[in-house]
Amino acid sequence: MLTHPSQIIAWKARILEERPAPKKTAVVSNGICGRASGSLGIIAALNRELDRRGLRDTVGLEVTGCHGFCELEPNIVILPEGIYYGRVKPEDIPSIIETTILKNKVIDRLVYADPKTGRRYALQKDIPFYRKQMRLLTEDNLRIDPDRIEDYILADGYQALAKALFDMTAEEVIREVDAAGLRGRGGAGFPTGKKWQFCRKEIADRRYIICNADEGNPGTYMDRSILVANPHSVIEGMIIGAYAIGAAEGYIYVRMEAPQAVRQVTIARDQARKCGLLGRSILGSEFHFDIQIVEGAGAFVCGEETSLMASIEGRRAVSRQRPPFPAQSGLWGQPTNINNVETWANVPLIVKRGAEWYSLIGTPKSKGTKIFSLVGKIRHGGQVEVPMGIKLREIIYDIGGGIKDGKKFKAVQTGGPAGGFLPAEFLDLAIDYDNLVQAGSTMGSGGMIVVDETTCMVDLARHYMHFTQEESCGKCVPCRVGTRQMHEILVRITRGEGEEEDLARLQELGESIMVASLCGLGQTAPNPVLSTLRHFREEYFEHIRHRKCAAGVCRELLSLPGQDSPRTGRKTNKGQHD
Amino acid sequence: MIKLKIDGREIAAEPGATVLEAAQAYGIYIPNLCAAKGLTSYGGCRLCLIEIKGRRGYVPACCTPVEENLEIITETPQLRELRRLTLELILSEHPHACLICSEKENCEDHKSTIRKVVEPTGCVLCPENGQCRLQEVVEELKVEGVRFPASYRNFEVLREDPFFDRNYNICILCARCVRVCAEVRGASAVTVVFRGPQAIIGTALDRPLLDSGCQLCGACVDVCPTGALTERALKGEGLPDETRSTICPLCSVGCTLEVGLRKGRILNSYPKNGHPVNEGQACVKGRFVLRDVVHSPKRALRPMLRRHGELAEVSWDEALDAVAQGLKAHPEGGTAFVVSSQMTLEDQYVAGRFTRSVLNVEPVLDSPGPSPLLAFRKVLQEEGISSPLNLEVASLSEAGFILVAGADLTRSHPILWVNVLKAIQKGAKLVAWNQGPSPLDRWAALSLRTEPGYEAAVLGYLGRWLLERRPKEQLASIPGYDELKASLELVSPAGGISAAGLTMEEVQSVGTLLDEARPGVLLCGSELLGRPDAGAVRMLWNLAQLVGTKVIPLAAKNNERGIAELWSSEAANGLSVDQVAQGIGKGRFKSLYLTGIFPLLGESRPELLIVQDCYRTANGQLADVILPALTWAETEGTFINVEGRIQKFKRLLDPLGEAKPDWWIFCRLAEKMGRKDFAFQSPMEIAEEISRTVPALREASLPHPKKGRPGFVLEDKKSTTRFLPLGRPGGTARIDSDLAAAEVGLSTLDTYRGLNLCEEIKGLRRLREKSQLRDRKLKG
């Protein structure tokens, strides 16, 4: 039980003393992707072999949350060298122990090899996927078992909290976060310091803070990975934020479809409570704060702040008109500050290292790093943490390894169903909030989906529209009815029943829905469609005028010159010269 | 007042108003569908989007509070286009064939069957045609086509519940029904279910409304802007060709209702905004049942006389002669006369004069148990106290503390409940004190459940606790303080309270609330006051004096207050109906003259039985003479409601059959019995005599409210502050009673004269059965 800030450093020292220092350690990535790929089997095999060979005293086995290179899961990192083995199978374990752990030799076939050059990189830090990242938030993942708060303490955890509570006033904390230039990582990019200030200055007898871990965008999973790999970073951020804003209660709203995230953040919260880092008189200060964890019930709209708050209150998750904004009237009518998981995770970093240091990273208007879920037709998909200002090209080619299966880059989608598609001409775009918006997309929460020539942009737009249609809360007319009309037009186009006027209809509907909808879901739902209309108009024309889908996706339109379509058995409409 | 500009025009708005309300007050039209007076803002239809100078984007006027110096622009070409597109989106889900039909102009000439279709495919086939708010908006925005393909939801029309149908195929999801049910009525029977394209209005688990806590008040039907919710009364017979106003006679609230008539017959009845007392709300009885009350097949339409063992139709002359002779033949005091508490004030006045001065007996009020109001009054009058009873319904919504004791307001006085709910939403504390569970419990800060008979004990302990909390100096000057203190000291707290089924903490919590939450009001129903328990009445009075609140005994019937005022000057020593029934059995009464409810007479019926009623009741079948009376709808008169408001109503339709007003029958009878001083020609004359002879009812002859302000019962402005001793040895011991007061209360809820509405009207019976079933289940 910690009752004084100085005890944190003392605790760290104690842990270092008490921890055995084995000569070698095998660190297994046991996060969401890891488990899905079989990391539990790896851990079992390791346990078996270590016991069988009597190596428990000299070889350590650590289990962590997420190493980020999801494409190569399950993976093991051998410390202290940092040798990185990917796509490990349980049958590889004996030779890993024999060869690498006992005899210090690298097993080539398990090591990452650059697909273009064939060059091998044995050490994790050298692998191109990692080298160009700036893993301020995620590097610690390699050393933290999310079940153990001690690992977080070892990584200098909760020292920022001690500093904030005892060396800074609440206003100073807000000023620091503001000066750092942190912007909301949930997608809107609102300056976090200002948001905190709005909430703090509302006069009320209580305030709340919320961590939005609903993460509903398809293809994004950075938030839940943070919660699985380093939940304390979020908790520490929330405690600091609550101190700054003046809130005694916080909520973490996690979607129930991420059970591992729910489990890990609950364990972390319970451990923090036990240590006196949550609850009354934190670290012996006069500050009281506790966190409740609430699970979502399966609605994308709960990522929208007013629906989220309704859900916490036990009501139907339906958005409401703003003003009043949550900072003025949120949970149960009280001033409430809502931030995304990644935003909260940045706070301890800023407080510990200072705003000046933080503001050196990134671009003038977008500071710090951003974690992206790089997925799609990319060779090396995973969680990438990069500084703002990095070029799209660097992410996709240097980190992601380019398009897989030898195909060509067609577009990258950012911002999920609220974002847009950027074709090749934007590859040199420097990533920041404003640039992306100007280019016709958004930062979003961090989904980055790469597509190649086998992706039909019209079908993809239709897919996103279908998603938003299903997830619309149904309250306002433009979103509920308008997105359905847009979806139906897109369905017709993908079936070869498109009309010339459809493009104008989509444009008109899309623009109106964006302007007339009640909440962010409706206001951004037409984005994928409008952005594909802007950048990939020829594909629409192809579908409509020539009943052709070059990507080969829209089944009703498959055309092979002069032949029946092998899949539908139907003769095509137009002849073979189209 | 807040100053802002709308379209360049200077507007002054109340603080807290929305831009939409401010615009409407100045006659500036902003299209809207989901906004409704009295409901929270929704912002769902998006038709009312406006521009604010200097701010990006559009905001809905219904959700935007007025601010100083705002500059609002309501009309731009873009806004117009946007509104049209939004409206067309709404119409794409709403059958709009009529809108784009090329025969629109000639439709009137070519229309065939109109309202008998199962589901409307266009305006002309919809029961709401001409009153539909969606139609209005379409006309205002001049929409002539829908650019989107139509989609029809293809739901089954829901007809499983009484009185109204739900056709969600034409619902536009404005959620007004959801909001009115939750915010104004507190029932939350319906909500929006599912989400996105599947979103629709529904009940929990798709149950019928009756299984979802619906009270069939019809507020949703009234607030629905389309034909999605329509009452069956308007289907199949055409629409009303005229509308008249009336005062509902079915409970003591006395709502003003608009009645739709067609060819001189009642079709339907509904409330309107702006009516006093009920302000646009009604309950199941006033909303859906009036038509069957007036046009019941059980109406007694011709005078009847028993000849040779059979009832035969006769003329009025013959019937009245028979009655007069029969009454003269019986000795003085041998006639029991039962007066209906539902007759008009004029009828009751003449009845009272007739009974007392012609028959020389005290009339009996037709409630099976003691009327809470009369019982309350009587006890206090014996002490020389006239308790102030007037209370405007609207003032309930300003209360800080409300005690509802012995009544389920949601069933007995739904409009009072609507106002209590308003108070609760503003932070008032409700204490619900009943013998069994009720819908009030959900809203109550405290629910007290006691065994019947211990009310005086509980009130006694409350009084003692409050007394001890107060500094003695504050109270010692009030007369009666010492006796009260002494008698309360005899109250044994522990024994009485736990025997009653309560804990000390509960009682003390009530006391704290009573003391601290102001202003307070104590509403007492028949469950509490419906038994002869003078101790409870006295303690209620004392409590009211202690904390400075009012006690309002909840009269059940529409003119119970009227009778209380008419009879207050007399001894009011009337017997109860039960005592009369027993007296008949013992042969004390040779003749019985019934104008109201009375238990079924069996073998021991009196020698002479006269039944004067609107209906052919069971007792009527045994009668010697049946005198057909008019319902309130066919005559004019006055009701005095629970507020003390003197409400006048005019005739809705011509008298049916040969029935006559009650006062006319009494007057003709009096003439037949030789009296010349019953020569009234109209209810107006009677009202004038009342205002001359009954001081409290001096305003009874005030003009109709349309022309002047309404009249109220006149009360002593100077109230006597006095404590009453408990007045009986061991003053608060358990009181026995034959009647389970709760059942008494409920059983008289739904009658009009001799008609049991639950027996006659299936929908009402289903509703009451549901409530009773639920209460029994909850009781365990």
Side-chain angles (χ1 to χ4, degrees), chain B residues 164-182:
Chain B
F164 59 92
D165 297 331
R166 296 185 283 149
N167 180 358
Y168 290 127
N169 294 308
I170 46 182
C171 169
I172 56 170
L173 279 171
C174 68
R176 281 181 175 198
C177 54
V178 173
R179 282 175 284 151
V180 80
C181 193

Side-chain angles (χ1 to χ4, degrees), chain B residues 285-348:
Chain B
K285 289 190 286 189
R287 187 67 179 77
F288 294 116
V289 142
L290 291 192
R291 165 177 163 161
D292 289 327
V293 167
V294 175
H295 297 294
S296 163
K298 284 211 174 129
R299 284 293 299 273
L301 297 177
R302 308 209 187 290
M304 299 188 101
L305 189 55
R306 193 174 291 276
R307 284 184 178 142
H308 319 297
E310 294 289 318
L311 279 171
E313 286 180 13
V314 294
S315 68
W316 269 106
D317 235 13
E318 289 181 76
L320 289 169
D321 277 331
V323 174
Q325 276 164 29
L327 289 175
K328 277 192 238 176
H330 286 278
E332 291 220 345
T335 305
F337 191 102
V338 176
V339 171
S340 165
S341 44
Q342 289 172 310
M343 294 194 293
T344 68
L345 188 71
E346 292 84 352
D347 295 331
Q348 285 166 345

Side-chain angles (χ1 to χ4, degrees), chain B residues 21-230:
Chain B
E21 288 165 350
Q24 282 169 338
Y26 277 74
I28 301 172
Y29 178 73
I30 304 177
N32 65 88
L33 277 174
C34 67
K37 188 164 173 273
L39 302 182
T40 56
S41 306
Y42 195 60
C45 73
R46 314 309 283 178
L47 287 175
C48 69
L49 291 181
I50 45 149
E51 215 178 283
I52 300 181
K53 198 147 169 234
R55 296 190 195 174
R56 274 189 320 143
Y58 302 123
V59 287
C62 66
C63 294
T64 309
V66 291
E67 280 173 54
E68 199 71 35
N69 295 327
L70 266 189
E71 283 189 49
I72 310 280
I73 304 156
T74 69
E75 275 284 326
T76 66
Q78 296 92 331
L79 269 176
R80 217 171 301 142
E81 258 318 296
L82 198 57
R83 283 189 194 132
R84 203 171 276 144
L85 185 139
T86 309
L87 188 54
E88 290 179 29
L89 283 174
I90 295 175
L91 289 172
S92 75
E93 293 189 321
H94 182 104
H96 54 271
C98 290
L99 195 62
I100 49 179
C101 175
S102 52
E103 296 294 319
K104 224 178 355 178
E105 274 75 51
N106 304 325
C107 188
E108 278 293 324
D109 304 328
H110 298 307
K111 265 192 309 221
S112 51
T113 54
I114 308 163
R115 278 166 193 81
K116 292 181 187 168
V117 291
V118 173
E119 292 171 37
T121 51
C123 303
V124 98
L125 301 168
C126 177
E128 203 83 352
N129 189 21
Q131 305 160 298
C132 171
R133 299 218 47 239
L134 180 59
Q135 250 179 349
E136 279 172 28
V137 177
V138 166
E139 276 163 26
E140 281 283 348
L141 295 188
K142 301 196 194 5
V143 172
E144 281 168 11
V146 176
R147 72 193 90 161
F148 305 110
S151 68
Y152 189 67
R153 296 186 194 114
N154 209 15
F155 289 124
E156 210 184 293
V157 178
L158 298 171
R159 298 181 202 280
E160 56 202 344
D161 289 297
F163 306 129
F164 59 92
D165 297 331
R166 296 185 283 149
N167 180 358
Y168 290 127
N169 294 308
I170 46 182
C171 169
I172 56 170
L173 279 171
C174 68
R176 281 181 175 198
C177 54
V178 173
R179 282 175 284 151
V180 80
C181 193
E183 297 164 17
V184 176
R185 305 304 295 226
S188 294
V190 283
T191 182
V192 183
V193 296
F194 303 125
R195 65 161 188 256
Q198 278 82 41
I200 196 60
I201 308 291
T203 54
L205 305 173
D206 242 353
R207 293 198 179 118
L209 286 175
L210 279 182
D211 287 327
S212 309
C214 172
Q215 292 286 310
L216 297 176
C217 70
C220 56
V221 178
D222 293 331
V223 96
C224 176
T226 67
L229 301 174
T230 44

Side-chain angles (χ1 to χ4, degrees), chain A residues 40 141 146 194 275 300 313 328 406 413 446 522 538:
Chain A
L40 290 172
N141 291 359
K194 294 211 173 17
C275 298
F300 172 69
E313 291 175 12
Q328 288 134 8
Q413 209 267 345
E538 339 72 55

Side-chain angles (χ1 to χ4, degrees), chain B residues 235-476:
Chain B
K235 296 186 191 180
E237 288 179 58
L239 288 176
D241 50 36
E242 80 171 301
T243 330
R244 293 191 188 184
S245 235
T246 192
I247 307 288
C248 178
L250 297 180
C251 88
S252 65
V253 174
C255 298
T256 307
L257 296 168
E258 298 294 307
V259 178
L261 299 137
R262 185 179 173 85
K263 297 200 171 82
R265 266 180 67 93
I266 296 180
L267 279 190
N268 71 334
S269 53
Y270 54 94
K272 243 165 71 165
N273 273 327
H275 281 157
V277 183
N278 56 317
E279 276 296 332
Q281 295 298 315
C283 81
V284 59
K285 289 190 286 189
R287 187 67 179 77
F288 294 116
V289 142
L290 291 192
R291 165 177 163 161
D292 289 327
V293 167
V294 175
H295 297 294
S296 163
K298 284 211 174 129
R299 284 293 299 273
L301 297 177
R302 308 209 187 290
M304 299 188 101
L305 189 55
R306 193 174 291 276
R307 284 184 178 142
H308 319 297
E310 294 289 318
L311 279 171
E313 286 180 13
V314 294
S315 68
W316 269 106
D317 235 13
E318 289 181 76
L320 289 169
D321 277 331
V323 174
Q325 276 164 29
L327 289 175
K328 277 192 238 176
H330 286 278
E332 291 220 345
T335 305
F337 191 102
V338 176
V339 171
S340 165
S341 44
Q342 289 172 310
M343 294 194 293
T344 68
L345 188 71
E346 292 84 352
D347 295 331
Q348 285 166 345
Y349 177 73
V350 178
R353 271 189 57 187
F354 178 77
T355 325
R356 292 190 180 103
S357 68
V358 179
L359 298 181
N360 287 307
V361 285
E362 276 298 313
V364 175
L365 191 62
D366 73 335
S367 51
S371 143
L373 178 56
L374 293 179
F376 184 79
R377 264 223 155 150
K378 182 169 163 198
V379 170
L380 293 180
Q381 267 169 0
E382 280 166 5
E383 301 283 343
I385 293 179
S386 82
S387 165
L389 296 176
N390 284 0
L391 176 82
E392 284 199 49
V393 163
S395 69
L396 276 177
S397 61
E398 307 295 326
F401 170 79
I402 303 139
L403 170 73
V404 176
D408 177 0
L409 276 190
T410 65
R411 266 180 254 168
S412 62
H413 303 79
I415 300 301
L416 294 188
W417 168 244
V418 168
N419 283 276
V420 167
L421 186 62
K422 271 197 205 145
I424 295 173
Q425 285 166 341
K426 287 197 248 181
K429 300 277 186 266
L430 168 70
V431 173
W433 181 9
N434 292 313
Q435 279 166 24
S438 76
L440 295 167
D441 296 332
R442 197 175 131 213
W443 298 94
L446 271 169
S447 283
L448 301 178
R449 199 87 68 230
T450 54
E451 291 298 315
Y454 286 99
E455 293 81 10
V458 174
L459 289 167
Y461 182 73
L462 248 181
R464 177 173 156 168
W465 189 80
L466 279 167
L467 219 83
E468 285 165 5
R469 249 165 90 97
R470 297 301 185 75
K472 184 166 174 205
E473 307 75 55
Q474 212 181 61
L475 303 171

Side-chain angles (χ1 to χ4, degrees), chain A residues 214-257:
Chain A
D214 193 60
E215 194 173 49
N217 284 351
T220 57
Y221 52 107
M222 335 50 67
D223 289 346
R224 75 196 80 172
S225 293
I226 296 177
L227 289 178
V228 166
N230 194 352
H232 283 286
S233 62
V234 177
I235 293 178
E236 186 180 0
M238 285 178 77
I239 308 174
I240 296 174
Y243 169 69
I245 290 166
E249 273 181 70
Y251 288 84
I252 302 182
Y253 187 91
V254 194
R255 59 180 301 187
M256 58 102 172
E257 295 95 327

Side-chain angles (χ1 to χ4, degrees), chain A residues 455-525:
Chain A
T455 310
C456 170
M457 302 313 283
V458 182
D459 179 68
L460 196 47
R462 178 203 59 76
H463 169 80
Y464 273 117
M465 214 67 226
H466 176 75
F467 177 81
T468 14
Q469 243 277 285
E470 275 200 336
E471 297 293 337
S472 160
C473 79
K475 178 168 171 180
C476 76
V477 171
C479 181
R480 183 184 75 240
V481 192
T483 56
R484 194 222 326 236
Q485 295 290 347
M486 283 185 78
H487 179 246
E488 283 180 6
I489 296 175
L490 288 163
V491 166
R492 272 195 297 105
I493 296 177
T494 57
R495 286 211 188 121
E497 295 160 24
E499 298 162 4
E500 273 303 317
E501 301 78 29
D502 281 339
L503 298 192
R505 285 184 189 129
L506 284 172
Q507 191 73 31
E508 183 187 34
L509 258 175
E511 285 169 4
S512 305
I513 294 170
M514 287 176 74
V515 148
S517 289
L518 188 150
C519 83
L521 193 153
Q523 285 158 6
T524 56

